[in-house]
């Protein structure tokens, strides 16, 4: 109490009730390979253009760029990107005179593409003209839908999805190629040439240039020397422990982990996914949107999730993650071609959109909140019977529905614990827990007495009442929706003497209407019906 020593008017500021501030729920982290940028440094981005400036453009077989692009396109507003070190991975390469041409990302996939230099006119079979055209091509004889490698499957599907037809290169030859990209109107291999290719091609990056007009290649020239990248994702993931404000996680390049033979390494992929889930469980603030391997059947993806698909492949079981199947096709805005990607990017965009428009307690699924308008098709059309296998196993389907398009048609976590079946329930509890943790720091070292108990109970109750009024908790009244206990009953002298303050909170979450059953019966007219 202040001792006043002279008469007068004195001002005292009386502390008011402290409010619990809700944490952000839609800031995502994307971890994996990028074209450039700092390694193992979480970098905050607020637009796709910011990503391009910092980390480069679209790159084939490197999924982070596509995921970030889709995240912003589908409703995301802020994310962190962590570039993983490719280790011993190398991009395939070739030279055109003194100009170096590289694949857009490391890996053996680049060993399957070629570059062709022809005249910039219809006289491509004659002597070189000042103007030349560069084409990215692939030998049609190597493209097969029966390919067992991930890169082979992706290329075969790319050719089919974009309706490409094989052409003879040179025009008088007998060997045919699929033309993946065409860039024309060049006269020199200079800085302008490099800038245009590097900013627009998803298959190539130009290194050193000699400033000369490269000779016509005749037959397309293959890229060679590509080496698969090392799995350095765990080190990149660990950097997220120091970042505050994160709530969502995607590691799309887990889907690109392959064996030395180029086949999807499902055991390593599952182990890597569990590493991400373990991080989320440790931090208790992250929710992981999982990308499964590409090209899998319904039965294979169920086996992958349960840990029975490959030797030493662990099961995937956690309330801190959700898996979305199958992959999706999006449009590359630079060249208007369809590209296959894992679904985490557009899915997280819908998470952010739903959080902003409704709340974290709403499932990011259905024909409204789950509508992915930038997705042009799904890699596999699923039937109701297919989803009968997926849903009970905690695998969320991405489906094409008549009149509604491509939508997220599942809202479950990968957990076997029935308390945490639904994504919205787990994310609601993350939101409440982190909001209370951040806003109650002032309580530490305060006097552990009735006044403190009353203040804490009042602040938490006010926060949860607002959440209930928004539709985040179930109940006709606040008393039915939640309870808060912080008094002598759970803080006896024995615990207070050890410095503990216990706050018991119970929430009644709103569950999604996953199964809508319309019950119709035939009404029989009775004798007194008036008919």
């Amino acid at each position: 109490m202040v001792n006043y020593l002279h008469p007068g008017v004195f001002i005292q500021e009386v502390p008011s009730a402290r409010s619990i501030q809700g944490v952000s729920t839609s800031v995502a982290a994307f971890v994996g390979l990028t074209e450039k940028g700092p390694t193992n440094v979480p970098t905050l981005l607020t637009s796709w253009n910011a990503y391009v400036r910092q980390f480069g453009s679209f790159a084939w077989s490197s999924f982070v760029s596509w995921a970030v692009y889709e995240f912003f396109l589908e409703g995301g507003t802020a994310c962190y990107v962590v570039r993983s070190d490719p280790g011993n991975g190398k991009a395939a390469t070739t030279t055109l005179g003194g100009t170096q041409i590289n694949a857009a990302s490391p890996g053996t996939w680049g060993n399957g593409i070629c570059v062709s230099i022809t005249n910039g006119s219809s006289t491509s079979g004659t002597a070189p003209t000042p103007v030349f055209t560069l084409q990215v091509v692939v030998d049609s004889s190597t493209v097969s839908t029966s390919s067992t490698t991930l890169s082979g499957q992706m290329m075969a599907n790319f050719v089919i999805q974009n309706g490409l037809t094989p052409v003879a290169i040179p025009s008088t030859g007998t060997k045919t190629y699929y033309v993946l990209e065409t860039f024309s109107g060049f006269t020199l291999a200079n800085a302008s040439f490099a800038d245009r290719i590097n900013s627009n091609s998803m298959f190539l990056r130009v290194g050193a240039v000699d400033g000369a007009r490269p000779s016509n290649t005749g037959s397309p020239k293959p890229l060679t020397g590509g080496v698969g990248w090392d799995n350095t994702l765990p080190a990149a993931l660990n950097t997220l422990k120091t970042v505050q404000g994160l709530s969502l996680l995607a590691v799309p390049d887990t889907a690109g982990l392959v064996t030395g033979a180029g086949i999807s390494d499902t055991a390593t992929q599952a182990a890597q996914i569990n590493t991400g889930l373990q991080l989320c469980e440790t931090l208790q603030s992250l929710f992981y949107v999982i990308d499964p391997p590409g090209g899998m059947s319904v039965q294979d993806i169920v086996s992958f999730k349960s840990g029975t698909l490959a030797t030493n492949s662990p099961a995937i079981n956690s309330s801190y993650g959700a898996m979305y199947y199958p992959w999706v096709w999006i449009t590359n805005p630079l060249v208007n071609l369809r590209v296959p990607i894992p679904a985490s990017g557009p899915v997280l965009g819908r998470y952010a959109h739903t959080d902003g428009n409704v709340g974290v307690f709403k499932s990011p699924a259905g024909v409204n909140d789950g509508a992915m308008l930038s997705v042009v098709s799904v890699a596999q059309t699923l039937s109701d019977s297919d989803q009968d296998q997926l849903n009970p196993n905690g695998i969320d389907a991405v489906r094409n529905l008549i009149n509604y398009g491509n939508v997220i048609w599942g809202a479950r976590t990968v957990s076997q614990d029935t308390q945490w079946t639904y994504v919205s329930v787990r994310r609601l509890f993350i939101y409440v827990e982190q909001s209370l943790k951040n806003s109650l720091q002032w309580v530490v070292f305060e006097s552990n007495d009735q006044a403190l108990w009353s203040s804490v109970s009042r602040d938490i109750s006010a926060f949860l009442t607002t959440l209930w009024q928004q539709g985040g908790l179930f109940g006709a009244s606040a008393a039915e929706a939640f309870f808060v206990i912080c008094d002598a009953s759970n803080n006896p002298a024995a615990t207070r003497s050890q410095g503990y303050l216990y706050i018991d909170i119970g929430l009644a979450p709103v569950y999604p209407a996953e199964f809508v059953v319309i019950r119709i019966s035939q009404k029989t007219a009775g004798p007194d019906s008036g008919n």
Side-chain angles (χ1 to χ4, degrees):
M1 181 176 178
V2 179
N3 291 322
Y4 299 108
L5 302 179
H6 68 274
V9 177
F10 300 91
I11 304 296
Q12 286 188 1
E13 292 186 354
V14 179
S16 60
R18 296 173 174 84
S19 62
I20 306 294
Q21 299 296 320
V23 296
S24 171
T25 58
S26 55
V27 178
F30 294 91
V31 179
L33 293 179
T34 67
E35 178 185 343
K36 61 180 183 178
T39 300
N40 293 341
V41 177
T43 304
L44 177 63
L45 305 173
T46 56
S47 69
W48 168 245
N49 288 335
Y51 175 92
V52 173
R53 289 193 298 269
Q54 189 81 0
F55 294 99
S57 191
F58 299 116
W60 181 263
S61 199
S62 179
F63 300 116
V64 169
S65 57
W66 307 97
V68 173
Y69 171 75
E70 282 292 307
F71 171 73
F72 285 118
L73 196 60
E74 288 287 352
T77 58
C79 70
Y80 283 83
V81 171
V82 184
R83 183 190 183 207
S84 177
D85 186 347
N88 294 318
K90 294 181 181 179
T93 186
T94 191
T95 57
L96 300 172
T99 296
Q100 185 179 26
I101 304 293
N102 305 316
S105 66
T108 57
W109 72 269
N111 299 331
I113 62 173
C114 309
V115 291
S116 172
I117 298 292
T118 61
N119 289 339
S121 66
S122 59
T123 58
S124 58
T126 64
T129 61
V131 179
F132 69 93
T133 293
L134 180 145
Q135 290 181 319
V136 187
V137 302
V138 60
D139 187 340
S140 62
S141 66
T142 65
V143 178
S144 171
T145 54
S146 62
S147 174
T148 58
T149 66
L150 176 61
S151 60
Q153 293 170 1
M154 287 179 61
M155 186 59 68
N157 291 331
F158 177 82
V159 166
I160 294 171
Q161 187 74 203
N162 289 288
L164 304 184
T165 56
V167 296
I169 301 177
S171 58
T172 57
T174 58
K175 200 169 186 179
T176 60
Y177 296 83
Y178 291 108
V179 178
L180 308 180
E181 293 176 334
T182 299
F183 301 95
S184 58
F186 300 114
T187 57
L188 298 173
N190 54 13
S192 176
F193 167 81
D195 288 344
R196 182 175 164 196
I197 300 295
N198 293 345
S199 60
N200 289 279
S201 176
M202 59 179 161
F203 294 103
L204 297 183
R205 294 293 183 267
V206 178
V209 293
D210 64 359
R213 194 274 197 208
S215 301
N216 290 354
T217 55
S219 296
K221 192 171 184 180
L223 276 65
T224 60
V227 178
W229 56 281
D230 298 333
N231 179 21
T232 54
L233 295 173
L237 276 171
N238 282 334
T239 64
L240 297 178
K241 294 179 179 179
T242 62
V243 182
Q244 297 183 352
L246 286 178
S247 50
L248 299 168
L249 172 66
V251 195
D253 283 327
T254 56
L257 293 172
V258 296
T259 65
I263 300 171
S264 286
D265 188 350
T266 55
T268 302
Q269 289 170 347
Q272 180 59 62
I273 288 169
N274 276 325
T275 298
L277 289 170
Q278 186 176 29
L279 173 68
C280 294
E281 292 177 354
T282 300
L283 297 179
Q284 296 184 313
S285 58
L286 277 178
F287 188 84
Y288 184 7
V289 170
I290 301 166
D291 287 313
M296 282 193 168
S297 66
V298 170
Q299 185 55 55
D300 282 347
I301 201 66
V302 170
S303 298
F304 173 76
K305 195 263 182 185
S306 64
T308 59
L309 182 64
T311 304
N312 300 322
S313 181
I316 298 170
N317 174 24
S318 173
S319 68
Y320 283 85
M323 181 184 296
Y324 292 84
Y325 168 87
W327 284 23
V328 298
W329 288 84
I330 65 170
T331 299
N332 179 345
L334 301 179
V335 291
N336 199 33
L337 291 171
R338 295 183 176 186
V339 181
I341 65 167
S344 62
V347 167
L348 283 178
R350 299 318 295 172
Y351 272 53
H353 171 86
T354 304
D355 290 356
N357 286 273
V358 185
V360 69
F361 48 83
K362 168 66 173 67
S363 295
V367 298
N368 294 317
D369 297 314
M372 298 187 291
L373 302 181
S374 64
V375 171
V376 294
S377 65
V378 292
Q380 182 175 344
T381 301
L382 301 177
S383 65
D384 290 344
S385 297
D386 291 330
Q387 198 162 7
D388 287 343
Q389 304 300 314
L390 300 172
N391 218 51
N393 285 284
I395 302 170
D396 295 327
V398 179
R399 297 185 61 176
N400 180 271
L401 301 183
I402 297 176
N403 297 326
Y404 294 104
N406 301 300
V407 301
I408 302 169
W409 205 242
R412 297 192 172 201
T413 71
V414 291
S415 178
Q416 295 295 309
D417 187 343
T418 55
Q419 291 185 98
W420 306 109
T421 296
Y422 295 108
V423 170
S424 57
V425 174
R426 166 44 79 193
R427 295 190 66 227
L428 170 68
F429 273 75
I430 291 176
Y431 168 71
V432 172
E433 291 165 3
Q434 294 303 310
S435 297
L436 297 181
K437 179 181 178 180
N438 289 353
S439 295
L440 292 178
Q441 295 295 320
W442 68 270
V443 176
V444 180
F445 301 119
E446 292 294 307
S447 298
N448 197 352
D449 55 16
Q450 289 88 345
L452 181 65
W453 301 342
S454 177
S455 296
V456 168
S457 298
R458 177 196 61 216
D459 295 347
I460 296 176
S461 295
F463 171 69
L464 295 179
T465 298
T466 300
L467 184 61
W468 165 68
Q469 291 170 339
Q470 293 171 342
L473 299 174
F474 181 84
S477 65
E480 292 181 7
F482 67 87
F483 67 77
V484 180
I485 300 175
C486 183
D487 54 28
S489 65
N490 58 347
N491 290 285
T495 59
R496 297 199 308 275
S497 65
Q498 297 178 20
Y500 288 98
L501 170 65
Y502 286 100
I503 309 166
D504 293 322
I505 301 171
L507 305 178
V510 176
Y511 294 95
E514 188 178 24
F515 309 105
V516 179
V517 181
I518 302 173
R519 296 191 290 193
I520 302 177
S521 62
Q522 189 176 82
K523 184 178 183 300
T524 303
D528 298 326
S529 64
N531 296 331

